[in-house]
Amino acid sequence: MNYSQTTLTMKSSMIRELVAITKGVPGMISFAGGFPNPVTFPRESLSEEYRLAVDEDGADTLQYGASEGDEQLKRELLKLENEPGLTPNEILVTAGATHAIYMYTRTFVDPGDVVLSESPSFLGSLVAIEAAGAEVLGVDSDNEGIIPARLGERLEECHRLNKRVKFLYVIPEFQNPTGITTSEARRLEIIAVAREYGIGILEDNPYGQLRYFGTGIPSFRTLAREKYNDRHTVTLVKSFSKILGPGIRMGYMISDERTISHCCSWMQKTTVTVDCVSQRAVARFIAAGKLEPQITRIRDYYRPQLQAMLDALQKFMPANVSWTRPEGGMFLWMEVPEKINTDEVFVKARELKVAYLPGSKFYPSGSEHYNTMRLNFSYPTVEQIWIGVERLAGLITQAIQEVSNGQSR
Amino acid sequence: MNYSQTTLTMKSSMIRELVAITKGVPGMISFAGGFPNPVTFPRESLSEEYRLAVDEDGADTLQYGASEGDEQLKRELLKLENEPGLTPNEILVTAGATHAIYMYTRTFVDPGDVVLSESPSFLGSLVAIEAAGAEVLGVDSDNEGIIPARLGERLEECHRLNKRVKFLYVIPEFQNPTGITTSEARRLEIIAVAREYGIGILEDNPYGQLRYFGTGIPSFRTLAREKYNDRHTVTLVKSFSKILGPGIRMGYMISDERTISHCCSWMQKTTVTVDCVSQRAVARFIAAGKLEPQITRIRDYYRPQLQAMLDALQKFMPANVSWTRPEGGMFLWMEVPEKINTDEVFVKARELKVAYLPGSKFYPSGSEHYNTMRLNFSYPTVEQIWIGVERLAGLITQAIQEVSNGQSR
């Protein structure tokens, strides 16, 4: 009785494992995880909606629900999205964003097909895409997002190798891990390339609501619709993980009716429905007008943390170190001189009680850059951010000196 | 941008579609669905646990949880199962039984591999197994469950055809659709065959707690452990759908540590975790001692419904019609004379405002028997059961007359 080849060869994201070894260390300041701060969870107001979702709506919510999603929740989501002409049949409630990504990939990918992604990207999504049968290839990105010329080159290269590319996976807002937001010009260029080559765009936007500075940019989906009247190329995935809490497995996808219908078949085969109690509790939470104040509260809470991290980096980091300056989200991305391997610094940092995630864990295999790191600012307090960044700066300064002294392995 | 072959060729279970067209018809008496009666839902007592799971435990339950499952819930499940030596690493909380079946299949099946099942069996599970990549072949069953000799023949046949059989899928208690419980002698014989051929047994037991008459039988898993000290061959899947309500997507699987670990990797890639709020609410519900009274309440509620259906069938059905006599569960299975096609009677029944599911929908493709039907007794009231069975008996009597008059198509 042997396990399947897919099971035996599939990758772990390594992120959980690395985060795990930074936990439970007394005095540890961690920039490693991707956790929302539990202070932001709307416990009291949400608990009341859960109670009502079972006590008042129990005949409905405890019964088998529609795989398409709870009608009341979909009604609220349609209002939230406010996309002209969007119908309930173009939206599917999912058990979080990963579930949406998995089902979308299964809907499109035959074994051997290729999915393109930003490089670096969120490895948790990439391993789900791979587990669903695709080969993931990275496309180089810069501070404005994926470089359209590189995207074209990748597509040509795949064409020459007879590999079918099915879609491009992007996290356009406050990307995980880089914090970068793809510019509007880039979005339009990327849409044009995708349409030219007939590939889809899977737009994963879990952080879009977490904007602390600056103004928003229209989604890929909006731009494709407004410029080309195209509601098919871009599938938008959103999640409540960063707004209500990731313990509630709840997200949704918006696409054309046929794609949603196919993804819904995958829903029936993977989990039948999303938890109906949680769906209704979230629907009630939104209907009660509790969502907007909650988003405001989170923004106000995280804004000083991001500011503190930017200020602390500015103050403590040595020359030759650069970092992104996101206007929202939960992460920023740092580059240290090329000879420094942040996988190695990670071990020393742990001893010094400061943690981050080595950037190498966020690249499709074979294209790792070892002189990068992801820093999370949503979980630690402002005070911890100042202390932690100072510790980290000390370590990196030391590593730079070792490299220039030729002592580095 | 084409959909994947798997997506384009995968089957729907047809059950939802058929149930849907029996809904919303005024005066309809339905034996078609597989729904628990909403009167049995523990709305008030469960709603309080949901409130506490968010308000008191929110820092924990709204945060990312372990893919392995909520520790408190697993502790309660270990107590419930009471399997000697069972550890938390041998149990995985899943988003219902279908989710467990999908992940287990992905864990073992490479494309082209075979999974065997009872014939008939629950098509909702079979389509999930097929969507996960397996070819499903049925094994003939009788009133005691799968016929071990037929199982051996199927395995030999697959061996000759160079097809790898990975596991046998069984619903041993109050099976869906037949209501049949596999006898202890059969279970032992089936385990012996599975061990001989090195295949797994996936024991799906959603109805085991719903026993209204008679005494229980040890599970396949217990028998394999007690007779062979074998904790690897049998993986047991259970669900809270029929006890608390199917809207809560919650089940669990018990297997050896390595299989659980692989299934947990599939959890990470499909949904990350099961909904953590629901996990904790169920954990609290069990810890508060509310589960046993709830099971007793359900048994007391469904017992007269099963009895009414057995009595009504006895009173109204013509000769040449036979049915199973389950001691629990939600369904029984009826066979009418061979020339009658219950797919056709279904249409007439709908006009006469009585619904059932044609038995043909429960066979692996190619092995359908059209003179069978599934009757559900958990959803209708005792009064509806008496009226509905009388209507159905009238239709079948008429169909038998038409057949003997040579009028049937």
Side-chain angles (χ1 to χ4, degrees):
Chain A
M1 197 183 166
N2 299 315
Y3 299 113
S4 66
Q5 278 308 308
T6 314
T7 297
L8 291 173
T9 57
M10 76 184 172
K11 281 186 289 194
S12 157
S13 84
M14 284 305 296
I15 293 172
R16 282 178 170 262
E17 289 74 359
L18 285 172
V19 171
I21 65 170
T22 66
K23 276 189 169 173
V25 181
M28 172 66 77
I29 293 175
S30 181
F31 308 138
F35 295 165
N37 196 305
V39 172
T40 65
F41 296 153
R43 285 160 53 171
E44 198 181 324
S45 57
L46 188 58
S47 71
E48 178 61 9
E49 305 304 338
Y50 264 104
R51 190 183 69 74
L52 293 168
V54 176
D55 198 15
E56 287 197 0
D57 303 344
D60 199 11
T61 59
L62 297 177
Q63 191 57 277
Y64 281 111
S67 295
E68 291 78 6
D70 180 67
E71 269 182 39
Q72 292 191 27
L73 177 56
K74 286 174 79 166
R75 207 177 305 142
E76 295 302 327
L77 295 177
L78 284 173
K79 277 190 263 174
L80 276 185
E81 285 300 319
N82 200 24
E83 179 181 313
L86 192 69
T87 72
N89 295 338
E90 291 161 320
I91 189 163
L92 178 67
V93 182
T94 69
T98 302
H99 191 214
I101 292 163
Y102 181 81
M103 294 190 294
Y104 181 87
T105 306
R106 289 291 268 157
T107 294
F108 282 102
V109 163
D110 286 304
D113 286 350
V114 168
V115 170
L116 302 180
S117 83
E118 291 149 337
S119 176
S121 182
F122 177 49
L123 205 58
S125 297
L126 304 192
V127 296
I129 292 170
E130 287 176 342
E135 179 187 357
V136 177
L137 296 176
V139 182
D140 288 340
S141 315
D142 63 16
N143 277 335
E144 278 191 76
I146 275 190
I147 304 165
R150 293 276 179 287
L151 176 60
E153 286 165 23
R154 265 294 194 202
L155 285 162
E156 284 300 324
E157 183 192 335
C158 289
H159 184 71
R160 278 198 306 277
L161 295 170
N162 251 324
K163 287 182 174 182
R164 281 194 309 187
V165 178
K166 282 299 176 72
F167 64 88
L168 169 70
Y169 170 72
V170 287
I171 310 171
E173 316 254 328
F174 318 126
Q175 199 234 18
N176 183 356
T178 63
I180 286 170
T181 294
T182 304
S183 68
E184 185 167 343
R186 279 288 170 86
R187 294 182 192 208
L188 285 166
E189 287 178 84
I190 291 165
I191 292 167
V193 176
R195 284 171 51 87
E196 186 189 338
Y197 285 84
I199 67 167
I201 296 174
L202 183 58
E203 178 178 23
D204 182 16
N205 192 354
Y207 311 110
Q209 306 272 24
L210 307 183
R211 175 174 280 282
Y212 320 126
F213 304 106
T215 49
I217 295 175
S219 66
F220 274 94
R221 184 165 168 88
T222 299
L223 292 170
R225 180 175 51 74
E226 288 183 348
K227 179 145 187 192
Y228 303 103
N229 193 26
D230 178 345
R231 292 167 181 269
H232 174 66
T233 296
V234 183
T235 295
L236 178 60
V237 171
K238 290 191 177 175
S239 162
F240 288 102
S241 287
K242 313 304 183 283
I243 295 170
L244 298 179
I248 306 175
R249 301 309 304 151
M250 187 83 55
Y252 55 100
M253 66 198 289
I254 297 175
S255 191
D256 62 276
E257 211 169 301
R258 206 165 150 226
T259 298
I260 290 295
S261 161
H262 283 310
C263 286
C264 187
S265 293
W266 281 106
M267 172 75 75
Q268 284 180 27
K269 273 114 192 165
T270 55
T271 68
V272 184
T273 65
V274 176
D275 193 290
C276 298
V277 172
S278 283
Q279 286 189 79
R280 186 62 60 84
V282 172
R284 282 180 161 274
F285 187 88
I286 303 171
K290 293 176 174 178
L291 190 65
E292 273 309 313
Q294 166 66 6
I295 292 170
T296 303
R297 202 164 75 91
I298 295 180
R299 284 181 184 146
D300 291 345
Y301 191 86
Y302 288 148
R303 189 179 296 109
Q305 289 173 233
L306 168 56
Q307 191 61 59
M309 187 164 272
L310 290 170
D311 292 347
L313 288 168
Q314 192 64 45
K315 176 159 182 195
F316 294 119
M317 280 296 157
N320 306 323
V321 172
S322 64
W323 54 90
T324 57
R325 284 166 179 78
E327 296 184 321
M330 295 168 56
F331 309 105
L332 57 76
W333 185 250
M334 207 159 82
E335 274 190 51
V336 295
E338 267 201 23
K339 284 187 178 162
I340 296 176
N341 182 332
T342 64
D343 282 55
E344 291 171 10
V345 177
F346 177 82
V347 180
K348 290 180 195 161
R350 188 167 173 272
E351 282 164 25
L352 213 74
K353 301 197 173 176
V354 59
Y356 61 88
L357 279 188
S360 62
K361 307 308 165 213
F362 295 92
Y363 293 88
S365 15
S367 57
E368 290 86 353
H369 291 259
Y370 288 91
N371 62 326
T372 56
M373 49 176 72
R374 186 188 80 173
L375 300 181
N376 166 269
F377 53 79
S378 64
Y379 198 76
T381 63
V382 166
E383 195 191 353
Q384 287 175 325
I385 288 169
W386 278 99
I387 301 170
V389 169
E390 187 171 9
R391 283 183 193 166
L392 201 55
L395 271 169
I396 290 166
T397 306
Q398 190 190 329
I400 291 174
Q401 280 166 359
E402 283 172 6
V403 167
S404 64
N405 294 344
Q407 289 173 7
S408 179
R409 277 171 298 163
Chain B
M1 198 183 163
N2 300 313
Y3 299 113
S4 67
Q5 278 308 308
T6 314
T7 297
L8 291 173
T9 57
M10 76 184 173
K11 281 185 288 195
S12 156
S13 84
M14 283 305 295
I15 294 172
R16 281 177 171 263
E17 288 77 358
L18 285 172
V19 171
I21 64 170
T22 65
K23 275 189 170 172
V25 181
M28 173 65 78
I29 292 175
S30 181
F31 307 139
F35 295 167
N37 196 304
V39 172
T40 65
F41 296 153
R43 286 160 52 169
E44 197 182 324
S45 57
L46 187 57
S47 70
E48 177 61 8
E49 304 305 339
Y50 264 103
R51 190 183 69 74
L52 293 168
V54 176
D55 198 15
E56 286 197 358
D57 303 344
D60 199 11
T61 58
L62 297 178
Q63 192 54 279
Y64 280 112
S67 294
E68 291 78 6
D70 180 67
E71 268 183 40
Q72 291 190 28
L73 177 56
K74 287 174 79 167
R75 206 176 306 141
E76 296 303 327
L77 296 178
L78 284 173
K79 277 189 263 174
L80 275 185
E81 284 300 320
N82 200 23
E83 179 181 314
L86 192 69
T87 71
N89 295 337
E90 292 161 320
I91 189 163
L92 179 68
V93 182
T94 69
T98 302
H99 191 213
I101 292 164
Y102 181 81
M103 294 190 293
Y104 181 86
T105 307
R106 289 292 268 154
T107 294
F108 282 103
V109 164
D110 286 304
D113 286 350
V114 168
V115 170
L116 302 179
S117 83
E118 291 149 336
S119 177
S121 183
F122 177 50
L123 204 58
S125 298
L126 304 192
V127 296
I129 292 170
E130 286 176 343
E135 179 187 359
V136 177
L137 296 176
V139 182
D140 288 339
S141 315
D142 62 16
N143 276 333
E144 279 190 75
I146 275 190
I147 304 165
R150 294 278 180 284
L151 176 60
E153 285 165 25
R154 266 292 195 204
L155 285 161
E156 283 301 322
E157 182 192 338
C158 289
H159 183 73
R160 276 197 308 277
L161 296 170
N162 252 324
K163 287 183 175 182
R164 279 193 312 185
V165 178
K166 281 301 177 67
F167 64 88
L168 169 70
Y169 170 72
V170 287
I171 309 171
E173 316 256 325
F174 317 127
Q175 200 235 15
N176 183 356
T178 63
I180 286 169
T181 293
T182 304
S183 69
E184 183 167 343
R186 279 288 170 84
R187 295 182 190 208
L188 285 166
E189 286 178 86
I190 291 165
I191 292 167
V193 176
R195 284 171 51 86
E196 186 188 337
Y197 285 84
I199 67 166
I201 296 173
L202 183 57
E203 179 178 22
D204 182 16
N205 191 354
Y207 311 108
Q209 306 272 23
L210 306 184
R211 175 174 279 282
Y212 320 125
F213 304 106
T215 49
I217 294 175
S219 67
F220 273 93
R221 184 163 168 89
T222 298
L223 292 171
R225 180 174 50 76
E226 288 183 348
K227 180 146 185 192
Y228 301 103
N229 194 27
D230 179 344
R231 291 166 181 269
H232 174 65
T233 296
V234 183
T235 296
L236 178 59
V237 171
K238 290 190 178 176
S239 162
F240 287 101
S241 288
K242 312 305 182 282
I243 296 169
L244 298 180
I248 306 174
R249 301 309 303 152
M250 187 82 56
Y252 54 100
M253 67 198 290
I254 297 176
S255 190
D256 61 276
E257 210 167 302
R258 210 169 146 220
T259 299
I260 290 295
S261 161
H262 283 309
C263 286
C264 188
S265 293
W266 280 105
M267 171 76 73
Q268 284 179 27
K269 273 114 193 166
T270 54
T271 67
V272 185
T273 66
V274 176
D275 191 289
C276 297
V277 172
S278 282
Q279 285 190 77
R280 186 63 61 83
V282 172
R284 282 180 162 274
F285 187 88
I286 304 171
K290 293 175 174 176
L291 190 66
E292 273 309 312
Q294 166 65 6
I295 293 171
T296 303
R297 202 163 75 93
I298 295 180
R299 284 181 184 145
D300 292 345
Y301 190 86
Y302 289 148
R303 189 179 295 109
Q305 289 173 235
L306 168 56
Q307 191 61 59
M309 187 162 272
L310 289 170
D311 293 346
L313 288 168
Q314 191 65 45
K315 177 161 180 192
F316 294 118
M317 280 296 155
N320 305 325
V321 173
S322 63
W323 54 90
T324 57
R325 285 167 177 78
E327 296 183 322
M330 295 167 57
F331 309 106
L332 57 76
W333 185 249
M334 206 159 81
E335 275 191 52
V336 296
E338 264 198 27
K339 285 187 179 162
I340 296 176
N341 182 331
T342 64
D343 282 56
E344 292 172 10
V345 177
F346 177 82
V347 181
K348 291 180 194 162
R350 188 167 172 272
E351 284 164 24
L352 213 75
K353 302 200 171 175
V354 58
Y356 61 86
L357 279 189
S360 62
K361 307 309 165 214
F362 295 92
Y363 293 88
S365 17
S367 57
E368 291 86 352
H369 292 259
Y370 288 91
N371 62 324
T372 56
M373 49 176 72
R374 186 188 81 173
L375 301 180
N376 166 270
F377 54 78
S378 64
Y379 198 77
T381 64
V382 165
E383 194 191 355
Q384 286 175 324
I385 288 170
W386 279 97
I387 300 169
V389 169
E390 187 172 8
R391 284 183 193 166
L392 201 55
L395 271 169
I396 291 168
T397 305
Q398 190 190 330
I400 291 175
Q401 281 166 358
E402 282 172 6
V403 167
S404 65
N405 294 344
Q407 290 172 6
S408 177
R409 276 173 298 168

